[in-house]
Amino acid sequence: GEYDRHTAALWMRRLGPLGRLVGLVSPSPNTRRGDKLGRLSSAGASCDYRELRTVFTRRQLSRLAPDLMLPERRGWPARPWDDDFATYLPDDLLRKADGASMSVALELRAPLLDSTIVRRAQATPAEMLRRGGRPKGLLRQLAAELLPLRAHRRPKRGFAAPVGTWFRTDFGGLRTLLLDATGAVDAFPADFLGVELSRSEIVRIRDAHLGGKEDHSQRLFALLVLALWCRQSRP
């Protein structure tokens, strides 16, 4: 429960109708920070928490697939991490972990998902979990009793692969693959996908990213995977 989006969601809930004013902000999308602010702006305009963690915001989807029926708005939950626990964790993080570990016959354990720990955490007030006003304050306090000082005070390190840079530098041939897969005439067949994607929008975000003007790392990776899936799965 310590992602930036959780803090943002709680503040937006407190702001109430005033939170829609955030939707008037138009940050530059050429950095990861600008991309985050763009998500917050879109979430504020639509009053939808899940906008903060989606790859394509509603605004971006409306340009990419104008005829797509968008999901129902969710509002601002009182405990946004509960929403993540019910959807993002099993549908994304654990799905990736299970697939990656099973592909190499690796036994994976997630000790913090022990049922007893989960029930205790869900029953503990958020302010207690953030003991001392620090992110993961209670967990850090427990870690301080068990781990060396250099360990429990280390900052968080993510596992994100720098695909955005790889696209620009053609590391492993990724730029070439991206151009080939997404540039094909039948890369995204509407009759197979059930929705027509705007080729001009795909080309726009691809060129903007490769030219270093904007950051569309996750979106381009998603489009690349979709194009490859269509190529392999279409009858």
Side-chain angles (χ1 to χ4, degrees), residues 140 143-144 146-156:
R140 290 177 185 273
L146 302 171
L147 302 175
L149 183 65
R150 66 180 183 277
H152 77 84
R153 287 191 175 180
R154 289 176 62 184
K156 176 180 177 179

Side-chain angles (χ1 to χ4, degrees), residues 106-158:
L106 175 67
E107 286 288 344
L108 180 68
R109 296 290 183 267
L112 291 181
L113 289 184
D114 176 86
S115 59
T116 301
I117 295 177
V118 170
R119 285 196 296 270
R120 291 287 183 87
Q122 290 180 324
T124 302
E127 56 270 18
M128 186 175 294
L129 293 175
R130 292 177 55 92
R131 181 160 292 180
R134 300 182 62 201
K136 301 179 183 175
L138 182 58
L139 186 61
R140 290 177 185 273
Q141 179 181 329
L142 295 173
E145 300 175 5
L146 302 171
L147 302 175
L149 183 65
R150 66 180 183 277
H152 77 84
R153 287 191 175 180
R154 289 176 62 184
K156 176 180 177 179
R157 295 187 180 185

Side-chain angles (χ1 to χ4, degrees), residues 211-222:
K213 297 178 181 178
E214 299 177 5
D215 183 6
H216 295 287
S217 306
Q218 294 185 58
R219 286 176 280 279
L220 288 177
F221 185 75

Side-chain angles (χ1 to χ4, degrees), residues 47-141:
C47 191
D48 189 353
Y49 164 67
R50 294 189 181 181
E51 286 279 278
L52 296 177
R53 68 166 190 240
T54 187
V55 175
F56 289 91
T57 65
R58 287 176 179 271
R59 291 173 177 173
Q60 292 162 344
L61 279 177
S62 66
R63 295 192 294 267
L64 178 66
D67 298 328
L68 182 67
M69 295 293 292
L70 298 179
E72 178 185 354
R73 292 178 170 84
R74 298 283 178 166
W76 301 109
R79 291 169 57 98
W81 43 87
D82 286 344
D83 187 87
D84 282 7
F85 192 85
T87 56
Y88 179 58
L89 187 62
D91 297 341
D92 190 309
L93 299 183
L94 292 181
R95 174 64 185 86
K96 291 175 181 175
D98 287 346
S101 59
M102 287 190 291
S103 70
V104 292
L106 175 67
E107 286 288 344
L108 180 68
R109 296 290 183 267
L112 291 181
L113 289 184
D114 176 86
S115 59
T116 301
I117 295 177
V118 170
R119 285 196 296 270
R120 291 287 183 87
Q122 290 180 324
T124 302
E127 56 270 18
M128 186 175 294
L129 293 175
R130 292 177 55 92
R131 181 160 292 180
R134 300 182 62 201
K136 301 179 183 175
L138 182 58
L139 186 61
R140 290 177 185 273
Q141 179 181 329

